[in-house]
């Protein structure tokens, strides 16, 4: 069942940039080669394998460390303008600190970047896609605010080494997953369970780390390198479960506790007020000596505000939100701080990932909310995609992309949201974190049972290639101006 009335017949603007995205730990492998240090995913998968489906790990993954030239050929075949990849901190700085810089690690990314540029593909680099060097976890990880400086130093090494060629930088991919899952619900490395305490400390550090990196770029590199820096924010779209005022408020509160927790300080300044109010209120009633939410000084607020040159936005799915009675004060929980329940409508179209229901109108509403909440920033969709069980004839993926791209087209043309690019997640089937290799998001199939990690185009490759080439979802589309016509 299609959830949009019809596929949009409008075209993506001529300057619109299509690409694909990946992340270091999910594709590179070579976990201990050429001087790379251990990171928190190496540690988790090697010491706590049963936490992952089938005890899978990323030791070899897609072996992109050795097969990057082949990956670039696939990108070239797709015709995309941009490739979003992430840099493995432990490959550059094996200890996490700048006491040791690993030249072979730097060389790997230089080779990848050169191969991209030689093929006319723009590199877009993420500095942190969840693979923290283990020595930095050993001093407490992201809840330790010293990490802001260590990240900034790492960022400087990368700007210096790659900034002549990389013009689009993303500091953090979905810091919400790092903080709320890594240090809150214990569903991502380093699997620390401290919801409502360590997660906020992590967020506090991450926001300062991002701002430091942006300022370093601005002060030391922008003049010469002329690139742009931002961060990637994500969450489900939270739709009120009913049109009661309480559900509508609860949904907005949840948006502020998920997306706003990471975007507000950067785009508007400080934590969202509702987050301050709720965490302070609950902390007091729970008996804490002071609020569990660390506070920014006026100086920090000013330092973090405005540290963006666009917005990176990952979008996958939608949930419904209903208000609940104030949860017990006998327990501390990030979920309790939000004061609502979130759930998905069981009639929404399912995929191979339990959390991912196909709800394209949610993406359009989300884009409108971003436009209205954060003063109409330029948005690059840095991830969007869907999983299946790995079929080559992946009609479900084609269906998902058609519906979501159609919703995005309507957001661009009808709602005038400033979306300038779209990165499909993902180029390749890859290591899906605690789901191991069981959830496949790739346009290309990867044979994980073969030592060659053979790549095979799925049906969606031709489909995406055509969209990239024509900027249209339908055979004939309206290529200029605003269209009043629907197919
Ligand atoms: C992105 O996160 C990541 O950036 C990327 O690395 C990943 O491969 C891609 O999505 C596909 O998952 O299993 O119920 O605990 C998307 C947001 C948030 C989706 C956490 C999965 C876990 C839900 N993710 N969520 S659950």
């Amino acid at each position: 069942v299609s959830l949009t009335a019809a596929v949009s017949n409008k075209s993506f603007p001529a300057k619109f940039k299509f690409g694909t995205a990946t992340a270091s730990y999910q594709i590179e492998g070579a976990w201990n080669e050429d001087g790379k240090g251990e990171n928190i995913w190496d540690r988790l998968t090697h010491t706590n394998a049963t936490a992952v489906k089938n005890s899978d790990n990323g030791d070899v993954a897609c072996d992109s460390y050795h097969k990057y030239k082949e990956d670039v050929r696939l990108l070239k075949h797709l015709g995309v303008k941009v490739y979003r990849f992430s840099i493995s901190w432990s490959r550059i700085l094996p200890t996490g600190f700048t006491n040791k810089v690993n030249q072979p690690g730097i060389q790997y990314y230089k080779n990848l970047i050169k191969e991209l540029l030689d093929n006319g593909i723009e590199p877009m680099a993420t500095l942190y896609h969840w693979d923290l060097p283990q020595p930095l976890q050993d001093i407490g990880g992201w809840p330790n605010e010293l990490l802001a400086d260590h990240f900034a130093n790492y960022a400087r090494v990368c700007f210096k080494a790659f900034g002549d060629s990389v013009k689009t930088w993303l500091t953090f991919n979905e810091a919400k997953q790092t903080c709320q899952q890594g240090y809150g619900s214990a569903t991502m490395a380093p699997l620390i369970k401290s919801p409502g305490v360590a997660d906020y400390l992590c967020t506090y550090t991450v926001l300062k780390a991002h701002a430091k990196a942006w300022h370093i770029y601005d002060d030391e590199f922008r003049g010469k390198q002329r690139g742009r820096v931002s961060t990637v924010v994500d969450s489900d779209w939270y739709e009120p479960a009913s049109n009661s005022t309480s559900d509508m408020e609860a949904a907005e509160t949840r948006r502020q506790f998920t997306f706003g927790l990471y975007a507000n300080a950067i785009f508007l300044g400080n934590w969202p007020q509702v987050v301050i109010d709720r965490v302070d209120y609950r902390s007091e009633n729970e008996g804490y000596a002071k609020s569990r939410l660390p506070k920014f000084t006026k100086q920090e607020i000013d330092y973090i505000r405005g540290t963006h040159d666009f917005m990176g936005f990952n979008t996958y799915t939608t949930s419904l939100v209903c208000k609940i009675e104030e949860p017990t004060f006998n327990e501390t929980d990030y979920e309790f701080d939000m004061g609502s329940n979130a759930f998905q409508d069981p009639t929404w179209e399912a995929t191979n990932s339990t959390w991912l229901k196909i709800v394209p109108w949610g993406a359009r509403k989300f884009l409108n909310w971003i436009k209205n909440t954060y003063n109409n920033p330029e948005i690059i969709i840095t991830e969007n995609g869907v999983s299946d069980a790995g079929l080559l004839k992946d009609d479900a993926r084609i269906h998902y992309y058609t519906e979501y791209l159609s919703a995005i087209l309507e957001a661009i043309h009808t709602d005038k949201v400033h979306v300038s690019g779209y990165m499909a997640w993902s180029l390749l089937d890859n290591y899906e974190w605690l789901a191991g290799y069981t959830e496949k998001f790739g346009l290309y199939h990867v044979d994980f049972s073969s030592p060659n990690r053979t790549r095979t185009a799925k049906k969606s490759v031709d489909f995406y290639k055509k969209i990239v080439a024509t900027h249209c979802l339908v055979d004939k589309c309206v290529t200029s101006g605003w269209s009043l016509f629907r197919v």
Side-chain angles (χ1 to χ4, degrees), residues 23 26 129-130 173-174 176-177 181 187-188 234 314 316 354-355 383 425 430 432-433 441:
Q26 295 182 273
H129 200 126
W130 309 353
N173 178 71
E174 300 184 354
K176 177 159 69 66
Q177 265 52 259
Q181 296 200 247
T187 46
M188 284 285 177
D234 82 297
N314 291 354
Y316 287 90
T354 48
W355 55 273
E383 285 179 31
W425 184 273
N430 60 45
E432 183 56 26
W433 310 111
F441 282 81

